[in-house]
Amino acid sequence: MPKKPSSTEPNSHFWFMSVMTMNAAGPWFNDYQGTLTLAPGATRLEVFNQIREEVAQNDPRSRGSLVIAFDIQPNEL
């Protein structure tokens, strides 16, 4: 996983991911967000999969969930 940067680090990006997981009680929704520094040449798909795996490791309830929204953008405005 890319290292977590300070907000002023070059190539710092903000990301968010919203997921839905079905369980016995019905749908469960949750949002996750963070910042990271992209490796040179990283693709959106690689970063998406890395973030999704990190989310699943940090919150096992999200394993097998459906990603309903994802975005990653430069952190500097």
Side-chain angles (χ1 to χ4, degrees):
M1 185 70 195
K3 70 177 186 166
K4 296 190 176 164
S6 70
S7 60
T8 59
E9 191 169 331
N11 211 20
S12 171
H13 284 68
F14 168 80
W15 63 268
F16 83 91
M17 181 178 284
S18 297
V19 302
M20 179 187 76
T21 306
M22 294 301 292
N23 60 37
W28 174 78
F29 296 90
N30 206 5
D31 300 312
Y32 306 91
Q33 62 186 359
T35 58
L36 57 82
T37 298
L38 298 181
T43 67
R44 288 182 64 85
L45 180 60
E46 290 168 341
V47 172
F48 171 83
N49 287 329
Q50 289 173 345
I51 290 170
R52 190 167 186 188
E53 182 58 31
E54 183 177 288
V55 165
Q57 288 176 359
N58 292 330
D59 187 354
R61 297 173 299 173
S62 71
R63 284 217 179 270
S65 61
L66 173 67
V67 175
I68 55 177
F70 172 75
D71 192 28
I72 184 166
Q73 304 225 0
N75 198 28
E76 187 174 319
L77 296 176

